[in-house]
Amino acid sequence: MFAGTVPPFGTVFADSVEGDEFLLWREYEEEGCITFSEDGLVICDIGSLTELHPCQSITHRYDILPSSTTHHPEYTVPPGPGTFRITGSLDYEADGAQESELSFEIQFSLDAVE
């Protein structure tokens, strides 16, 4: 699979139906080419390959941080309760086969932001 610099999905932003978004948290600085600065969030324009074998899977946990977080609250604090969606795609290629694309969508609801 080929994706952003933080495998398997890169940086993951959740978008609300109102157009607001926030970053689901991981230790991004330690995992990939991502920097938080006074000028904003900087993501390298590269990706990484992750090899998967048949029946193998990759699981990662992302956190929804509270409004009291010290982990870059300007990016990571949800804008409020509501329905959020994450969409994206990954490129993949099996041995000898043509490259294909896998699309995904995740939807969740937040009842409250504390």
Side-chain angles (χ1 to χ4, degrees):
M1 293 187 317
F2 179 80
T5 57
V6 181
F9 303 113
T11 52
V12 177
F13 285 89
D15 298 306
S16 75
V17 293
E18 287 82 27
D20 296 320
E21 70 177 11
F22 70 98
L23 181 64
L24 296 180
W25 183 247
R26 292 188 53 184
E27 297 297 334
Y28 286 112
E29 297 101 330
E30 297 174 14
E31 295 181 346
C33 187
I34 297 168
T35 304
F36 295 90
S37 71
E38 292 178 4
D39 297 328
L41 175 64
V42 178
I43 302 171
C44 294
D45 191 22
I46 59 172
S48 63
L49 288 172
T50 302
E51 184 175 349
L52 286 179
H53 299 282
C55 300
Q56 181 184 7
S57 65
I58 297 174
T59 302
H60 286 290
R61 178 180 293 255
Y62 295 84
D63 294 322
I64 297 174
L65 300 179
S67 59
S68 60
T69 184
T70 59
H71 293 290
H72 313 287
E74 64 276 20
Y75 300 104
T76 60
V77 173
T83 300
F84 295 87
R85 183 176 61 180
I86 303 161
T87 59
S89 62
L90 301 171
D91 294 331
Y92 69 95
E93 181 179 334
D95 289 337
Q98 183 176 357
E99 185 176 293
S100 299
E101 183 177 87
L102 171 68
S103 297
F104 61 90
E105 179 176 343
I106 302 165
Q107 186 170 315
F108 62 93
S109 295
L110 285 179
D111 296 329
V113 177
E114 299 177 6

